[in-house]
């Protein structure tokens, strides 16, 4: 039987994330990248029905791995203003991929494609710190990228 989102949140000890959804650190390299960051870090990340991961940006690459539930769309605004939307999931015939790379410096967020939940893993290298994390407000992104107003309204507060 497929677990519920709430059962996964409890079992994996997930906590609310500032970008939306729930997360928990799962693994980190025992090697340092520098004095403040591990070489890499990994988390579990879960979205429940109706939740989104709001637009944010990291200073490091982030690899997303699909674990279960519903597929999701990762929306990325590249530095040149280009919008790219990639499907993370297991329906390969429909164009979904079980792994998606979000390059450093790209503004990105995500939303599920169907009701339910989506459980993914995210690995960041060099390792994640909140000092490397920037969350965006709607007005700021609309001023910079008015051509993407529909997705900006969906993935911002």
């Amino acid at each position: 039987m497929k677990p519920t989102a709430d059962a996964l949140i409890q079992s994996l000890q997930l906590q609310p994330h500032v970008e939306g959804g729930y997360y928990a650190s799962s693994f980190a390299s025992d090697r340092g990248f520098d004095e403040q960051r591990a070489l890499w870090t990994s988390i579990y990340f879960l979205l429940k029905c109706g939740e989104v991961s709001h637009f944010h940006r990291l200073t490091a690459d982030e690899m997303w791995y699909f674990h279960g539930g519903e597929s999701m769309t990762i929306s990325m605004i590249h530095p040149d203003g280009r919008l790219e939307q990639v499907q993370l999931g297991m329906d390969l015939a429909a164009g979904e991929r079980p792994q998606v790379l979000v390059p450093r410096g790209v503004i990105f967020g995500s939303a599920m494609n169907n009701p339910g939940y989506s459980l993914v893993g995210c690995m960041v290298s060099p390792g994640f710190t909140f000092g490397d994390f920037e969350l965006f407000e709607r007005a700021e992104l609309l001023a910079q990228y008015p051509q993407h107003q529909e997705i900006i309204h969906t993935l911002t507060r």
Side-chain angles (χ1 to χ4, degrees):
M1 181 155 112
K2 185 174 165 181
T4 66
D6 290 333
L8 287 168
I9 290 168
Q10 183 176 0
S11 294
L12 297 173
Q13 299 178 340
L14 304 179
Q15 301 296 317
H17 198 296
V18 66
E19 78 190 45
Y22 299 83
Y23 82 106
S25 295
S26 54
F27 298 98
S29 173
D30 61 0
R31 292 185 50 207
F33 175 78
D34 58 24
E35 291 85 35
Q36 299 182 349
R37 292 176 290 187
L39 186 59
W40 56 266
T41 57
S42 185
I43 65 168
Y44 292 115
F45 182 73
L46 182 137
L47 289 177
K48 290 171 68 171
C49 194
E51 297 177 333
V52 301
S53 167
H54 294 93
F55 272 129
H56 60 289
R57 177 169 50 200
L58 300 179
T59 61
D61 293 338
E62 183 170 42
M63 181 65 77
W64 287 55
Y65 301 93
F66 183 77
H67 291 312
E70 299 299 325
S71 63
M72 64 168 53
T73 300
I74 301 174
S75 298
M76 297 179 266
I77 302 175
H78 291 267
D80 64 3
R82 177 176 48 95
L83 175 66
E84 179 182 13
Q85 294 185 300
V86 182
Q87 306 303 310
L88 181 67
M90 291 304 296
D91 189 348
L92 304 181
E96 295 175 2
R97 295 186 271 168
Q99 298 178 8
V100 171
L101 175 67
V102 177
R104 70 183 177 275
V106 169
I107 297 167
F108 68 104
S110 62
M112 289 185 301
N113 295 332
N114 296 298
Y117 69 84
S118 184
L119 176 65
V120 302
C122 300
M123 199 266 313
V124 177
S125 180
F128 178 83
T129 68
F130 274 101
D132 300 324
F133 174 88
E134 181 180 9
L135 188 63
F136 289 90
E137 297 290 331
R138 180 174 292 156
E140 178 182 4
L141 289 181
L142 286 173
Q144 285 186 284
Y145 306 104
Q147 71 274 29
H148 304 311
Q149 68 176 327
E150 184 176 339
I151 193 65
I152 289 170
H153 276 278
T154 300
L155 297 180
T156 57
R157 295 182 182 120

